[in-house]
């Protein structure tokens, strides 16, 4: 739905894009908000291929070592390749200008969907998925929430810095949601599941001496 409206350059999402951009410009220009520019640009940079890629590589290698198999690494590589092809293809075919930009030159990519949003979401999302599958279920929940909050901050920062329209960010989140869901199903099929919590030791039968005393 977002892609159709962006290609047609009309629809509710286009109106919302301009409304959100105006609100973000007003918020960023408000008195006392200038100190947020540095942190917001830092969060936006975290969506780049280098920091997000390093995080995913470390998580995938660790999960591969813990799982004693190559499935975690294969899932990570496959997810990144799918998102990369979809995002680059969308940018090239649609060629949407960014906020305040002139028409995209013929030899340049567009801004839809957001590359930084897609990179951060697939890399941090798959990293959290893999770390959760080779650890405990409780740790998996922590990794998941950490990835969600970080990706939300990156998406907000891209809007704050006026790098992308809202639809660019939402489209990348929607794309990565499909990829992450598929990756989770592949992990299930591969037997990558969180470790169950350790239960208490089973009591010895009444009257039976412990094995060490026999």
């Amino acid at each position: 739905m977002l892609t159709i409206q962006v290609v047609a350059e009309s629809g509710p999402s286009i109106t919302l894009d301009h409304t959100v951009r105006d609100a973000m410009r007003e918020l960023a220009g408000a008195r006392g908000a200038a100190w947020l520019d540095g942190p917001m640009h830092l969060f936006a940079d975290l969506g780049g291929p280098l920091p997000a890629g390093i995080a995913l590589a470390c998580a995938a290698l660790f999960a591969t070592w813990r799982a004693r198999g190559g499935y975690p690494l294969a899932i990570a590589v496959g997810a990144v390749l799918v998102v990369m092809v979809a995002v680059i293809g969308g940018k090239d075919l649609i060629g949407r200008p960014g906020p305040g930009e002139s028409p995209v030159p013929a030899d340049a990519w567009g801004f839809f969907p957001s590359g930084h949003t897609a990179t951060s979401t697939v890399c941090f999302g798959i990293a959290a998925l893999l770390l959760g599958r080779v650890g405990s279920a409780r740790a998996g929940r922590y990794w998941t929430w950490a990835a969600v909050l970080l990706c939300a901050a990156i998406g907000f920062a891209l809007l704050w810095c006026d790098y992308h329209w809202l639809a660019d960010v939402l489209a990348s989140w929607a794309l990565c949601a499909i990829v992450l869901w598929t990756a989770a199903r592949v992990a299930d099929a591969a037997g990558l599941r969180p470790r169950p919590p350790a239960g208490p030791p089973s009591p010895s039968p009444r009257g039976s001496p412990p094995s060490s005393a026999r």
Side-chain angles (χ1 to χ4, degrees):
M1 292 296 294
L2 288 169
T3 303
I4 291 172
Q5 293 177 64
V6 168
V7 171
E9 298 183 355
S10 64
S13 70
I14 305 301
T15 302
L16 184 60
D17 279 345
H18 290 277
T19 301
V20 169
R21 189 203 178 207
D22 292 342
M24 295 297 279
R25 291 294 83 212
E26 183 177 352
L27 181 61
R31 179 178 299 179
W35 68 273
L36 286 171
D37 284 342
M40 288 300 166
H41 280 84
L42 176 61
F43 273 115
D45 290 340
L46 287 177
L50 184 60
I54 290 175
L56 176 58
C58 292
L61 291 174
F62 176 77
T64 299
W65 173 71
R66 288 292 300 268
R68 300 295 191 271
Y71 280 110
L73 193 58
I75 290 172
V77 172
V80 169
L81 287 178
V82 169
V83 170
M84 184 187 306
V85 170
V87 170
I88 293 177
K91 286 177 174 292
D92 187 41
L93 293 175
I94 298 172
R96 186 190 196 190
E101 296 285 339
S102 57
V104 178
D107 58 346
W109 292 339
F111 287 72
F112 180 91
S114 166
H116 273 58
T117 303
T119 300
S120 60
T121 304
V122 71
C123 288
F124 294 127
I126 293 293
L129 171 68
L130 296 178
L131 292 176
R133 292 307 178 95
V134 297
S136 65
R138 183 178 182 181
R141 288 191 294 270
Y142 289 144
W143 285 116
T144 299
W145 277 110
V148 168
L149 294 176
L150 180 57
C151 292
I154 291 171
F156 182 84
L158 292 170
L159 300 177
W160 175 283
C161 298
D162 206 28
Y163 291 157
H164 278 286
W165 299 104
L166 177 62
D168 304 344
V169 174
L170 294 179
S172 290
W173 279 341
L175 168 66
C176 291
I178 298 172
V179 173
L180 289 169
W181 181 87
T182 304
R185 303 287 78 77
V186 173
D188 288 341
L192 296 175
R193 302 179 185 276
R195 295 199 312 268
S202 56
S204 300
R206 181 172 297 181
S208 300
S211 58
S212 59
R214 294 177 184 173

